[in-house]
Amino acid sequence: MTTHIIALGGSLLRPEEAEKRVQWFGQLRQMAVLLEGNDRKLGFVIGGGLPAREAIDLAKTNVTDSYRLDTVGIAATRLNATIIQQTLIDIGCNVSPIIPKTTDEAAELFDSHNIVVMGGTSPGHTTDAVAVALARDSGASYCVIATNVSHVYDSDPRKNPDAKAIEEMTHSDLLQITGEGPLQPGESAAVDPIAVKWAISSGIRIAVLDGRDIENLENAIEGKEFSGTLVKSE
Ligand code: UTP
């Protein structure tokens, strides 16, 4: 049975317009039902988004230690994971009732469930890295990272209006853009450099795309043509 690993950035759960929210959750459910019906296993790794940033900022009033701040961020990712988990259980998908705390545990849960939803695991990286580790541990060679930007750019498109979108690149090209890391608690990057390093060591291909477009996400999962960035080994 094919296993697909999908990282959903936390911002995807909270589209600005309420109407889009209903639509996005509806399309995500449809996609999960369809893929489950086609005998696929699905591993969703959910980011912390706004609640993570808010919680980390709040904790920073008293705490400076990165390990502790990361622990706060992880709690937010697990909150968001619970939202997706319950959303998929609600339409009758065979979803693990446990939100695993490690990617090993998640990989084992695939023995008894078609869908496993999780958030962060341990301090020092983001859910991008968790998704790559879950791909490695569940025997998938490919991991889709769905965010709210369309591609990886050669520089930060929020700061540089001339930034160019990249359609295909190697892991080491990506590492040049992201830097070596690690990121600070709550800090964001095109892709977490730790995720890129783990992808290099286990040969996992990564697709980066805008997860607001579920049809495009589904194309990437299915290995069809998609709009976004494909990151491969040399
Ligand atoms: P995210 O995975 O949500 O960060 O983790 P992100 O990719 O920047 O955010 P999205 O994609 O917009 O949601 C949020 C924070 O939680 C901690 C880190 O502090 C991270 O910045 N975290 C998360 C960990 O320490 N370990 C994990 O495994 C996951």
Side-chain angles (χ1 to χ4, degrees):
M1 219 185 240
T2 312
T3 305
H4 299 299
I5 307 302
I6 305 131
L8 295 178
S11 63
L12 296 171
L13 277 63
R14 289 168 182 74
E16 274 159 33
E17 297 155 46
E19 197 183 296
K20 291 235 167 80
R21 216 168 288 178
V22 176
Q23 204 179 44
W24 186 81
F25 274 100
Q27 290 174 343
L28 183 78
R29 296 221 279 196
Q30 252 176 19
M31 181 187 84
V33 169
L34 192 99
L35 290 171
E36 187 186 26
N38 284 339
D39 283 341
R40 311 302 174 81
K41 300 263 182 193
L42 301 175
F44 288 103
V45 182
I46 317 297
L50 189 63
R53 276 192 298 279
E54 274 181 2
I56 290 170
D57 278 347
L58 184 57
K60 271 186 185 162
T61 327
N62 310 295
V63 177
T64 53
D65 181 64
S66 308
Y67 187 98
R68 294 193 200 290
L69 294 172
D70 279 347
T71 304
V72 171
I74 292 168
T77 64
R78 292 176 61 81
L79 166 72
N80 277 347
T82 308
I83 296 171
I84 298 294
Q85 176 210 36
Q86 293 301 318
T87 297
L88 298 179
I89 289 177
D90 187 59
I91 36 154
C93 292
N94 174 7
V95 186
S96 161
I98 293 167
I99 300 219
K101 291 201 164 126
T102 66
T103 50
D104 271 341
E105 187 190 355
E108 269 178 39
L109 286 165
F110 280 128
D111 291 342
S112 43
H113 302 281
N114 297 332
I115 301 178
V116 176
V117 186
M118 70 187 297
T121 51
S122 50
H125 51 76
T126 73
T127 46
D128 292 351
V130 175
V132 169
L134 180 57
R136 177 195 64 211
D137 294 345
S138 55
S141 55
Y142 181 46
C143 166
V144 178
I145 298 184
T147 71
N148 60 4
V149 288
S150 67
H151 293 82
V152 174
Y153 286 76
D154 62 356
S155 61
D156 189 342
R158 286 167 302 187
K159 293 181 193 148
N160 177 10
D162 296 327
K164 282 199 191 64
I166 303 170
E167 294 195 341
E168 210 172 300
M169 68 200 305
T170 64
H171 289 123
S172 35
D173 292 339
L174 179 54
L175 212 49
Q176 296 239 315
I177 292 173
T178 61
E180 290 286 317
L183 299 170
Q184 293 304 307
E187 190 190 346
S188 68
V191 177
D192 178 355
I194 306 292
V196 185
K197 288 182 181 176
W198 291 357
I200 291 173
S201 57
S202 40
I204 305 282
R205 274 177 306 131
I206 301 175
V208 182
L209 50 78
D210 190 335
R212 288 171 292 192
D213 180 348
I214 296 281
E215 198 184 325
N216 191 41
L217 173 61
E218 201 174 319
N219 284 340
I221 293 171
E222 296 272 32
K224 295 182 188 156
E225 214 169 292
F226 68 94
S227 167
T229 305
L230 183 64
V231 188
K232 304 201 273 193
S233 304
E234 301 297 325

